[in-house]
Amino acid sequence: MPFYRSSPACGTGDHSILFGNLSTLNPREQINGLTSFLDASTVYGSTPAVENKLRNFTSKEGLLRTNVRYYDNDREYLPFVDQVPSPCAQDPNSDEAERIECFMAGDSRSSEVISLTAMHTLWLREHNRLAKALKKLNRHWSSETVYQEARKIVGALHQIITLRDYIPKIIGPEAFNQYLGLYKGYDHRINPKASNVFSTAAFRFGHATIHPIIKRLNAQYQDDPVLPNLHMHEVFFSPWRLIKEGGLDPLLRGILAKSAKLLMQDQMMNEELTERLVVLSNNGSLDLASLNLQRGRDHGLPGYNDWREFCGLPRLETQTDLNTVIANRKVAEKIMELYSNPNNIDVWLGGLTENFLPDARTGPLFACIIGKQMKALREGDRFWWENSHVFTETQRHELRKHSLSRIICDNTGLSEVPPDAFQLGKFPQDFESCDNIPGINLEVWQESNQQEETCGFPKGVENGNFVYCSEFGKSMVIYSCQHGYQLQGEEQLTCTSRGWNFQPPVCIDINECENQINPSCHTSAKCINTIGGYQCVCTDPYELAEDGRTCLDSGRIPKGSLISIILGVTMVSGLAVLSWIVICRWTQSANGSAQANMLKDRTHLSAETDSKKHHEMKTSQPNILVEPADKIVVLSSVVKN
């Protein structure tokens, strides 16, 4: 089974020698390609380049891009990727003209399974719903302001739903109170990075909760004969099933009404993941459990016992010790048979097999690692939604009302949902009408646009935005420019008895290409300034990398070289043909001269013969020589030619 190692971070492992670290041991570390913060990067991407691909810059409402070919009962789908044809599977009953490409979202894995695609689609719709509503409330907002405010709300909802509604059910209320507790504010001393053991081992507990069957249910939450159940391997990288087989609604009903797989010590992962896992980078089937184990070894994670000690849990030294944390004796014996000593056990396997904590879906080790990581993400993030300067108190009050169930109600055709989307219930007794599911009142985001008696409402600036504040009889406006522009004039204006204390500023274009200290484009690319931005251009055969700044070798022959090659081949071919024509004509001319000389000789010979014959006829009439008829014809033909 193929396995690809994670890329090393610069200056670690063997690469440290290149950075001059010759005397100190510098263990290999891995690059985290995604932001660690709970900031809805799955919706907006982790880099500006990805974010720009996802945005609809032509909209005045700050929207995200949507699919322009397909709709789900007038609701949006994710846009397709730019790379066509994409590697996603196709409907075997459709022809090539009806291709359904992979979807594009903030995370490149959005098309991995259709249930994951459904969640990505749900958040796309929620952003656009919020953006349209905010624009109606604040007509003076620019598209950039609307986009950023909607993104800010979506980021807050990700944080609320994850820590309030999901994590307590995973690690249990006791571990939640022990490792997280109440929010006490931003702490600059806390490192919010995603730890290696969290991303490589602990949070992969979720692989053992994936159900092998995908259900799609009708409006009564019953099996739909038109949309039968699917095995997991039938939905890997198959976005066509979402578009052609009912859209989001039947799929979300199946997710809400079907429990996650229960992690059992003697049946941790279903065979759809260990025998039939499909990834785009490999043609065969893979084993996710084996990949998880090998990934931990690739990253050099310490063993199971070391992490138990890190969390203040007792080390396990014997089979008897192992039996205290693994109720299934046969599983404990099998682990000891394979590893010989508890110190050798891989942390992913050891943490996964532990007995669950009360009201939890993990054991004490994973509860500790997940809890500590969530605390770091919460208190090490200065933009955390509960931090006092991020939202107003009234806005935080409204955000607390929202839930995943409300998001489903607002963005699908479902009319009844469970009050808590993470809590399994029976239909209809445990479901509520969407009319009874609370949600955000966005009016608390509305800015006052009434004319200020003394100064009047502030003037807008082209290619810029402003925030207008009026409180306790004092009015103030703060201006800012859109990306690619810089402010010229006063940033902050205050209303006085004589009017605004300064004239509104203007936003002028920044020539990013003049920045020599921190160039906008890599040295391999040429920078071209545009209004409100810039463009990095690569010379053929190089093409622009995903970061939008660097040129990469495309592996193609340069167009200029290709044209030169074509012209060269054409010229050589032309010369060859011309030479051949000259040679042929010269040969033909030479042959013609030879034939003419031959004819001349034959004519001369014939004349001499005729003269001789004539002489003989005169001297001896009885001895007349007659030329055969066939030779005359042949000679005649030679003369004519």
Side-chain angles (χ1 to χ4, degrees), residues 168-204:
K169 295 179 177 65
I170 299 304
I171 67 176
E174 291 184 10
F176 187 89
N177 292 331
Q178 178 183 353
Y179 296 113
L180 283 95
L182 297 175
Y183 180 65
K184 297 179 181 179
Y186 169 65
D187 187 344
H188 70 277
R189 298 168 298 177
I190 293 180
N191 186 347
K193 289 194 301 185
S195 67
N196 218 325
V197 69
F198 169 79
S199 58
T200 311
F203 215 55
R204 297 192 182 210

Side-chain angles (χ1 to χ4, degrees), residues 339-461:
Y339 287 95
S340 300
N341 190 300
N343 291 327
N344 298 330
I345 298 174
D346 290 283
V347 60
W348 177 74
L349 179 62
L352 205 60
T353 53
E354 287 185 341
N355 301 329
F356 289 164
L357 291 173
D359 299 321
R361 285 294 177 266
T362 56
L365 177 59
F366 278 1
C368 164
I369 295 172
I370 294 171
K372 286 178 177 291
Q373 180 66 69
M374 291 299 148
K375 182 181 178 68
L377 291 176
R378 183 184 68 179
E379 298 184 7
D381 184 358
R382 61 192 177 98
F383 296 111
W384 187 258
W385 76 279
E386 292 174 286
N387 205 355
S388 58
H389 74 280
V390 177
F391 293 100
T392 66
E393 181 55 43
T394 54
Q395 289 172 345
R396 288 195 294 272
H397 175 74
E398 292 300 323
L399 287 168
R400 289 187 183 95
K401 296 179 183 178
H402 221 53
S403 63
L404 182 57
S405 294
R406 183 68 251 174
I407 292 172
I408 293 172
C409 286
D410 288 334
N411 297 285
T412 68
L414 273 64
S415 57
E416 294 176 286
V417 295
D420 183 352
F422 296 99
Q423 191 71 45
L424 182 66
K426 291 184 178 181
F427 182 83
Q429 58 266 35
D430 297 325
F431 282 60
E432 286 281 351
S433 169
C434 283
D435 295 336
N436 299 328
I437 303 295
I440 296 176
N441 178 9
L442 290 175
E443 290 181 358
V444 299
W445 273 264
Q446 186 174 19
E447 291 182 352
S448 173
N449 60 357
Q450 296 179 353
Q451 291 288 326
E452 214 277 345
E453 292 183 2
T454 305
C455 299
F457 195 70
K459 295 180 180 179
V461 293

Side-chain angles (χ1 to χ4, degrees), residues 129-315:
R129 184 190 74 84
L130 291 169
K132 291 174 183 177
L134 289 171
K135 181 64 175 179
K136 286 182 179 179
L137 292 171
N138 299 284
R139 295 288 184 183
H140 62 288
W141 280 7
S142 67
S143 61
E144 183 68 19
T145 300
V146 175
Y147 169 81
Q148 296 295 349
E149 285 295 325
R151 177 177 180 173
K152 186 177 170 183
I153 294 172
V154 169
L157 294 177
H158 268 242
Q159 295 170 353
I160 293 168
I161 292 170
T162 301
L163 256 72
R164 183 193 66 190
D165 301 336
Y166 178 65
I167 293 299
K169 295 179 177 65
I170 299 304
I171 67 176
E174 291 184 10
F176 187 89
N177 292 331
Q178 178 183 353
Y179 296 113
L180 283 95
L182 297 175
Y183 180 65
K184 297 179 181 179
Y186 169 65
D187 187 344
H188 70 277
R189 298 168 298 177
I190 293 180
N191 186 347
K193 289 194 301 185
S195 67
N196 218 325
V197 69
F198 169 79
S199 58
T200 311
F203 215 55
R204 297 192 182 210
F205 85 93
H207 293 162
T209 67
I210 297 174
H211 206 283
I213 301 296
I214 302 294
K215 279 186 168 289
R216 296 172 292 181
L217 306 178
N218 61 22
Q220 288 72 44
Y221 284 86
Q222 301 296 317
D223 288 336
D224 192 334
V226 180
L227 300 172
N229 296 339
L230 297 169
H231 287 88
M232 179 66 70
H233 73 271
E234 296 178 288
V235 300
F236 285 134
F237 299 101
S238 300
W240 67 269
R241 288 195 179 276
L242 194 63
I243 289 178
K244 294 188 175 184
E245 295 185 349
L248 253 67
D249 293 4
L251 189 59
L252 287 174
R253 291 191 197 101
I255 294 173
L256 292 172
K258 180 70 176 178
S259 66
K261 175 190 167 297
L262 181 63
L263 195 163
M264 306 288 289
Q265 290 176 340
D266 59 350
Q267 208 281 314
M268 296 185 188
M269 295 178 66
N270 70 74
E271 291 185 355
E272 294 290 306
L273 299 178
T274 59
E275 302 291 340
R276 295 182 169 184
L277 177 68
V278 175
V279 295
L280 295 180
S281 59
N282 186 71
N283 292 328
S285 297
L286 301 177
D287 177 358
L288 186 56
S290 298
L291 291 175
N292 286 345
L293 288 170
Q294 187 60 29
R295 186 65 63 200
R297 297 169 185 178
D298 172 33
H299 288 206
L301 294 181
Y304 170 58
N305 256 338
D306 292 328
W307 287 109
R308 282 185 60 88
E309 186 175 8
F310 168 80
C311 285
L313 301 169
R315 295 180 70 93

Side-chain angles (χ1 to χ4, degrees), residues 345-601:
I345 298 174
D346 290 283
V347 60
W348 177 74
L349 179 62
L352 205 60
T353 53
E354 287 185 341
N355 301 329
F356 289 164
L357 291 173
D359 299 321
R361 285 294 177 266
T362 56
L365 177 59
F366 278 1
C368 164
I369 295 172
I370 294 171
K372 286 178 177 291
Q373 180 66 69
M374 291 299 148
K375 182 181 178 68
L377 291 176
R378 183 184 68 179
E379 298 184 7
D381 184 358
R382 61 192 177 98
F383 296 111
W384 187 258
W385 76 279
E386 292 174 286
N387 205 355
S388 58
H389 74 280
V390 177
F391 293 100
T392 66
E393 181 55 43
T394 54
Q395 289 172 345
R396 288 195 294 272
H397 175 74
E398 292 300 323
L399 287 168
R400 289 187 183 95
K401 296 179 183 178
H402 221 53
S403 63
L404 182 57
S405 294
R406 183 68 251 174
I407 292 172
I408 293 172
C409 286
D410 288 334
N411 297 285
T412 68
L414 273 64
S415 57
E416 294 176 286
V417 295
D420 183 352
F422 296 99
Q423 191 71 45
L424 182 66
K426 291 184 178 181
F427 182 83
Q429 58 266 35
D430 297 325
F431 282 60
E432 286 281 351
S433 169
C434 283
D435 295 336
N436 299 328
I437 303 295
I440 296 176
N441 178 9
L442 290 175
E443 290 181 358
V444 299
W445 273 264
Q446 186 174 19
E447 291 182 352
S448 173
N449 60 357
Q450 296 179 353
Q451 291 288 326
E452 214 277 345
E453 292 183 2
T454 305
C455 299
F457 195 70
K459 295 180 180 179
V461 293
E462 188 176 0
N463 302 314
N465 313 302
F466 66 84
V467 177
Y468 176 58
C469 305
S470 181
E471 195 172 14
F472 305 118
K474 183 178 180 180
S475 298
M476 182 184 301
V477 59
I478 301 174
Y479 287 93
S480 62
C481 292
Q482 296 175 7
H483 182 74
Y485 296 87
Q486 63 183 3
L487 204 67
Q488 191 174 71
E490 293 296 327
E491 177 185 9
Q492 180 174 307
L493 277 63
T494 304
C495 182
T496 67
S497 58
R498 298 180 180 180
W500 295 107
N501 59 343
F502 294 104
Q503 289 295 318
V506 294
C507 292
I508 60 174
D509 176 56
I510 300 172
N511 188 345
E512 292 87 352
C513 298
E514 293 180 346
N515 190 342
Q516 301 297 326
I517 299 175
N518 187 21
S520 300
C521 297
H522 190 265
T523 53
S524 60
K526 180 182 178 181
C527 182
I528 298 177
N529 187 56
T530 59
I531 300 299
Y534 64 94
Q535 185 178 7
C536 299
V537 179
C538 301
T539 57
D540 193 59
Y542 297 94
E543 58 185 21
L544 206 60
E546 189 174 294
D547 62 4
R549 299 180 63 250
T550 310
C551 294
L552 299 176
D553 190 350
S554 64
R556 295 181 287 101
I557 299 175
K559 291 181 180 178
S561 300
L562 190 61
I563 293 171
S564 300
I565 292 171
I566 294 172
L567 288 174
V569 171
T570 304
M571 290 178 65
V572 170
S573 301
L575 288 172
V577 171
L578 184 61
S579 300
W580 179 254
I581 292 172
V582 170
I583 292 170
C584 288
R585 288 186 176 180
W586 179 82
T587 304
Q588 187 176 8
S589 175
N591 289 338
S593 299
Q595 288 178 357
N597 291 333
M598 186 183 297
L599 180 60
K600 184 177 180 181
D601 292 342

